[in-house]
């Protein structure tokens, strides 16, 4: 058993002070009943706790969707630049890390977690999880380039990519769907067909879609459904 405010803060719904306020305002239900008493004791594993219509899952594992802004490094430490974890507050001792990397200037969907097993599985080269990026580019994406992408484009170091798909949106804008995550992969694939990426944003990662209500630098916990969908990729 634990205090309701402690449980909510632990699960990332705000600081102790903030969650106490939510409880007092009547936003929190335990087993269907509004609880306004912040030192109410809950059985964190078995009681059904709901805050603002969201089921609270007491779990040692944390899963966060971040809309990564330009200028941040996808790492847990960097000597010179800000890191993506600098954008996340309230989980300081939870050993969070980003699942894979987006370049410093790439924006969009980045999963942050402390679930090493899930991360390992999602990043495994054997898994071939679709990643979809929106991009702006210079140059012309020709019919030949489409064919090369579909057959496996060859990068500057001789590596032959898995088949990928490119969708032209309008002049200089497109979407690319890839199944791998090699270093600078999209930029290098585009270079291999004579184009230069000027802007890159990840919009999907496997079953996860970037939540368009998140501004750059904002994040939210994944829903239970999103977590389950990700685990199905394992
Ligand atoms: N491909 C790139 O070139 N950069 C990224 O950040 C992600 C994919």
């Amino acid at each position: 058993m634990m205090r309701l405010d402690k449980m909510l803060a632990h699960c990332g719904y705000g600081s102790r002070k903030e969650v106490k306020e939510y409880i007092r305002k009547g936003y929190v239900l335990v087993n269907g009943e509004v609880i306004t008493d912040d030192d109410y004791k809950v059985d964190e594993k078995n009681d059904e706790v709901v805050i603002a219509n969201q089921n609270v899952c007491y779990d040692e594992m944390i899963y966060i969707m971040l809309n990564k802004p330009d200028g941040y490094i996808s790492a847990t430490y960097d000597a010179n630049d800000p890191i993506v974890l600098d954008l996340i507050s309230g989980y300081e001792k939870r050993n969070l890390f980003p699942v894979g990397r987006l370049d410093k200037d790439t924006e969009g969907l980045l999963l942050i977690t402390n679930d090493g097993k899930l991360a390992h599985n999602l990043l495994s080269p054997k898994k071939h999880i679709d990643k979809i990026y929106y991009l702006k580019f210079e140059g012309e994406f020709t019919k030949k380039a489409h064919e090369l992408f579909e057959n496996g484009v060859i990068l500057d170091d001789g590596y032959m990519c898995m088949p990928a798909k490119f969708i032209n949106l309008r002049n200089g804008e497109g979407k690319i769907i890839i199944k791998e995550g090699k270093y600078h992969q999209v930029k290098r694939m585009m270079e291999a067909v004579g184009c230069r990426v000027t802007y890159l944003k990840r919009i999907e990662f496997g079953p996860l879609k970037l939540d368009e209500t998140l501004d750059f630098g904002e994040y939210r916990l994944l829903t239970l459904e999103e977590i389950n969908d990700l685990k199905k990729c394992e």
Side-chain angles (χ1 to χ4, degrees):
M1 300 288 276
M2 74 193 297
R3 281 176 62 113
L4 182 56
D5 58 351
K6 189 169 178 207
M7 177 193 178
L8 290 171
H10 169 96
C11 294
Y13 287 91
S15 63
R16 265 313 248 286
K17 195 165 155 226
E18 284 164 342
V19 299
K20 277 184 185 184
E21 200 53 34
Y22 301 146
I23 296 169
R24 285 188 199 133
K25 285 187 172 153
Y27 296 168
V28 181
L29 281 81
V30 178
N31 300 326
E33 212 182 300
V34 175
I35 302 294
T36 51
D37 180 5
D38 51 43
D39 74 357
Y40 184 88
K41 302 282 185 307
V42 277
D43 175 348
E44 69 279 10
K45 303 268 189 224
N46 296 308
D47 283 341
E48 187 197 62
V49 180
V50 173
I51 180 165
N53 293 326
Q54 258 199 301
N55 269 315
V56 177
C57 172
Y58 184 84
D59 197 336
E60 289 305 318
M61 297 301 174
I62 308 279
Y63 305 91
I64 291 171
M65 175 190 296
L66 169 71
N67 186 358
K68 179 192 172 298
D70 181 12
Y72 285 77
I73 307 283
S74 303
T76 51
Y77 171 79
D78 193 86
N80 304 310
D81 289 302
I83 56 169
V84 287
L85 294 182
D86 294 339
L87 295 161
I88 309 233
S89 55
Y91 301 94
E92 280 70 19
K93 294 192 186 113
R94 309 300 298 278
N95 300 320
L96 295 179
F97 58 87
V99 178
R101 281 168 186 257
L102 292 178
D103 296 339
K104 185 177 166 190
D105 61 354
T106 300
E107 299 186 325
L109 174 53
L110 187 62
L111 174 64
I112 312 255
T113 186
N114 53 0
D115 186 341
K117 181 169 168 269
L118 178 74
H120 180 79
N121 280 319
L122 292 173
L123 295 174
S124 158
K126 287 187 215 129
K127 288 290 177 220
H128 310 318
I129 289 175
D130 278 351
K131 290 125 194 145
I132 308 187
Y133 294 84
Y134 162 82
L135 65 153
K136 292 186 185 166
F137 63 99
E138 290 169 353
E140 200 193 335
F141 200 92
T142 58
K143 199 161 165 263
K144 175 89 187 129
H146 278 288
E147 276 166 27
L148 284 169
F149 267 41
E150 271 161 32
N151 294 324
V153 74
I154 297 178
L155 299 183
D156 44 9
D157 58 0
Y159 175 78
M160 186 173 174
C161 297
M162 292 180 64
K165 200 171 157 123
F166 185 89
I167 302 160
N168 250 320
L169 293 176
R170 33 193 166 257
N171 243 358
E173 283 176 65
K175 273 188 192 176
I176 176 169
I177 306 165
I178 57 172
K179 292 188 183 294
E180 305 162 285
K182 301 259 172 259
Y183 182 64
H184 291 332
Q185 178 148 358
V186 173
K187 292 171 184 165
R188 289 163 71 210
M189 286 173 79
M190 292 297 282
E191 258 164 41
V193 295
C195 296
R196 194 175 78 85
V197 172
T198 55
Y199 176 77
L200 190 59
K201 177 181 175 185
R202 183 156 66 189
I203 51 177
E204 292 188 32
F205 179 72
L208 281 188
K209 289 189 188 353
L210 178 63
D211 181 339
E212 294 292 344
T213 66
L214 295 175
D215 250 329
F216 291 115
E218 288 186 344
Y219 60 91
R220 67 157 169 82
L221 291 170
L222 294 193
T223 62
L224 276 182
E225 201 183 344
E226 287 170 330
I227 297 169
N228 288 336
D229 287 346
L230 272 181
K231 288 187 174 172
K232 281 187 209 145
C233 299
E234 282 191 69

